[in-house]
């Protein structure tokens, strides 16, 4: 119960900071736009490490895998990326949103 | 995000100051806005500052079309808090549930045998009288107050403070009859219909809850409904 009552478990940025401190490469992904139904509201964040760890979420689990992969590129070259996901995306088969919504995710490196 | 900006953001959050991060989606330049202060590579124009104020007020991040392209304005509001009066059985279920829903929970109960660390592992407890506890921690528009002792000696001082604050939710455990008696006592203190309308009593959504955990679910659900109500609906409620 003590664990469940801790707010720390929910703090994506604190986790990102801790990873960075431990010498890992870290990227932050943030939902910046949603259209139609989408499971996580604008502002939701996912922290990704270069060990492919993740904390938080940007969808109901539909696109996290793809975001983690893109995040590795962002960690490597430091260039922020704006990713589009949705039913019209050519990746729909792999990472389309089951809900039929669309989301735009901004991925940046924590320097 | 630049490390300095990240550290400043985390410092603002730790100090419980509302903060906004503005990000130019084209090139990733950012600025951090805390109160009237702004720092970072992205110049904080008046349009961006106005969007920042709006994002905090509505607790809603959004994108604006700024001079040099779209800018995402992300609100990091002060934390949600829940003050629970009464270290009772329901509180044992309510504290972890509310914490999971994002609330920093404080339980106040002057009865030391109730408010023990053994019964509430990891929860902030205080043995002050509720009015003293509230004077110390303060109540704001991001705070919910839930009274659960149905002992007027303990609940009423908290209720009085809550009604004089702009806390967003006030809920009181007790039957309809208990609640009527409570309103009678509050009326003697000078409170009126407008104040009574702010009080949710009996506390929680009517989902037929019976066990302490089920009642806790109904309370978290009601607090959520009030928090997420459209501003207009909240004003009319």
């Amino acid at each position: 119960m003590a664990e469940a009552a801790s707010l720390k478990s929910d703090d994506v940025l604190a986790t990102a900071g801790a990873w960075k401190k431990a010498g890992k490469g870290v990227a932050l992904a943030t939902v910046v736009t949603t259209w139609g139904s989408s499971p996580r509201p604008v502002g939701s964040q996912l922290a990704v490490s270069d060990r492919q760890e993740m904390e938080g979420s940007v969808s109901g689990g539909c696109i996290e895998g793809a975001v983690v992969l893109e995040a590795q590129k962002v960690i490597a070259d430091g260039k922020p990326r704006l990713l589009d996901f949705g039913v019209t995306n050519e990746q729909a088969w792999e990472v389309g949103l089951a809900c039929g919504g669309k989301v735009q995710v901004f991925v940046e490196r924590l320097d | 995000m630049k490390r300095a900006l990240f550290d400043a953001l985390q410092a603002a959050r730790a100090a419980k100051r509302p903060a906004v991060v503005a990000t130019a989606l084209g090139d990733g330049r950012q600025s951090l806005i805390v109160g009237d202060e702004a720092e970072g590579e992205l110049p904080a124009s008046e349009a961006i500052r106005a969007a920042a104020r709006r994002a905090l007020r509505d607790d809603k991040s959004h994108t604006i079309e700024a001079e040099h392209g779209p800018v995402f304005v992300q609100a990091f509001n002060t934390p949600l808090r829940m003050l629970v009066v009464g270290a009772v059985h329901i509180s044992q279920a309510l504290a972890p549930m509310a914490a999971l829903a994002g609330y920093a929970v404080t339980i106040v109960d002057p009865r030391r045998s109730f408010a023990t660390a053994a019964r509430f592992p990891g929860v902030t407890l205080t043995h002050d009288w509720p009015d003293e506890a509230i004077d110390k921690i303060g109540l704001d528009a991001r705070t919910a107050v839930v009274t659960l002792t149905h002992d007027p000696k303990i609940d009423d001082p908290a209720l009085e403070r809550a009604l004089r604050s702009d806390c967003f939710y006030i809920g009181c455990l007790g039957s309809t009859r208990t609640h009527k008696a409570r309103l009678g006592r509050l009326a003697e203190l000078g409170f009126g219909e407008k104040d009574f309308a702010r009080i949710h009593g009996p506390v929680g959504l009517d989902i037929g809850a019976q066990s302490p955990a089920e009642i806790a679910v109904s309370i978290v659900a009601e607090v959520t409904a009030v928090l997420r109500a459209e501003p207009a609906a909240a004003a009319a409620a």
Side-chain angles (χ1 to χ4, degrees):
Chain A
M1 269 320 194
E3 202 58 27
S6 163
L7 277 175
K8 289 272 183 284
S9 62
D10 195 33
D11 197 329
V12 174
L13 292 182
T15 302
W19 284 342
K20 190 74 201 162
K21 220 170 175 182
K24 297 174 184 173
V26 181
L28 283 172
T30 307
V31 176
V32 296
T33 322
T34 64
W35 296 268
S37 60
S38 60
R40 300 285 291 129
V42 169
S44 302
Q45 291 191 303
L46 172 77
V48 179
S49 82
D50 57 1
R51 321 282 155 90
Q52 312 222 343
E53 296 157 290
M54 54 175 168
E55 178 76 35
S57 64
V58 288
S59 77
C62 323
I63 60 169
E64 271 76 2
V67 172
V68 167
L69 289 181
E70 286 295 322
Q72 302 309 315
K73 296 180 201 162
V74 173
I75 292 170
D77 68 14
K79 257 181 58 194
R81 286 167 174 75
L82 195 55
L83 311 176
D84 283 293
F85 294 100
V87 286
T88 57
N89 195 290
E90 75 251 21
Q91 290 175 300
W93 277 107
E94 290 163 47
V95 295
L97 293 169
C99 49
K102 288 201 285 180
V103 296
Q104 202 170 41
V105 178
F106 182 75
V107 187
E108 62 187 314
R109 184 168 74 180
L110 181 56
D111 286 331
Chain B
M1 185 179 287
K2 295 271 180 282
R3 188 64 208 221
L5 204 76
F6 180 81
D7 289 342
L9 169 63
Q10 290 297 75
R13 293 176 71 219
K16 297 185 171 34
R17 299 193 65 194
V20 170
V21 173
T23 304
L25 293 178
D27 58 15
R29 282 186 305 155
Q30 291 174 314
S31 61
L32 174 71
I33 301 163
V34 182
D36 292 332
E37 304 289 320
E39 61 177 293
E41 297 174 314
L42 182 69
S45 65
E46 187 42 46
I48 290 175
R49 286 172 186 265
R53 287 191 293 272
R54 195 165 69 241
L56 287 175
R57 192 194 59 216
D58 299 344
D59 194 30
K60 220 169 191 173
S61 305
H62 60 279
T63 302
I64 60 163
E65 274 309 318
E67 214 178 326
H68 302 290
V71 171
F72 180 60
V73 179
Q74 184 168 18
F76 291 89
N77 237 327
T78 45
L80 290 164
R81 296 186 298 166
M82 183 183 286
L83 181 77
V84 179
V85 178
V88 297
H89 198 173
I90 295 169
S91 318
Q92 287 178 287
L94 179 58
M97 283 185 201
L100 280 173
Y103 293 81
V105 180
T106 299
I107 295 180
V108 49
D109 198 324
R111 302 169 298 180
R112 285 172 188 274
S113 57
F114 282 74
T116 65
R119 299 181 72 216
F120 294 93
V123 179
T124 305
L125 300 171
T126 162
H127 296 125
D128 289 335
W129 281 87
D131 46 351
E132 292 165 1
I134 288 172
D135 289 345
K136 277 183 203 162
I137 66 175
L139 303 177
D140 60 24
R142 303 268 295 162
T143 310
V145 176
V146 181
T147 71
L148 297 177
T149 73
H150 52 66
D151 177 343
K153 277 199 311 297
I154 302 174
D155 281 355
D156 285 9
L159 207 43
E160 204 186 321
R161 288 290 194 282
L163 286 171
R164 295 191 201 285
S165 79
D166 62 349
C167 65
F168 76 89
Y169 175 90
I170 303 171
C172 302
L173 184 76
S175 65
T176 309
R177 205 176 55 185
T178 304
H179 189 57
K180 218 173 143 190
R182 177 185 293 131
L183 297 186
R185 292 192 304 275
L186 289 171
E188 282 173 24
L189 291 171
F191 292 104
E193 286 302 326
K194 229 175 109 189
D195 303 303
F196 300 162
R198 290 180 64 193
I199 304 174
H200 297 263
V203 71
L205 292 185
D206 186 3
I207 55 171
Q210 292 191 355
S211 72
E214 290 170 354
I215 294 167
V217 168
S218 78
I219 295 172
V220 172
E222 187 171 64
V223 171
T224 306
V226 173
L227 174 72
R228 300 302 180 194
E230 288 300 320

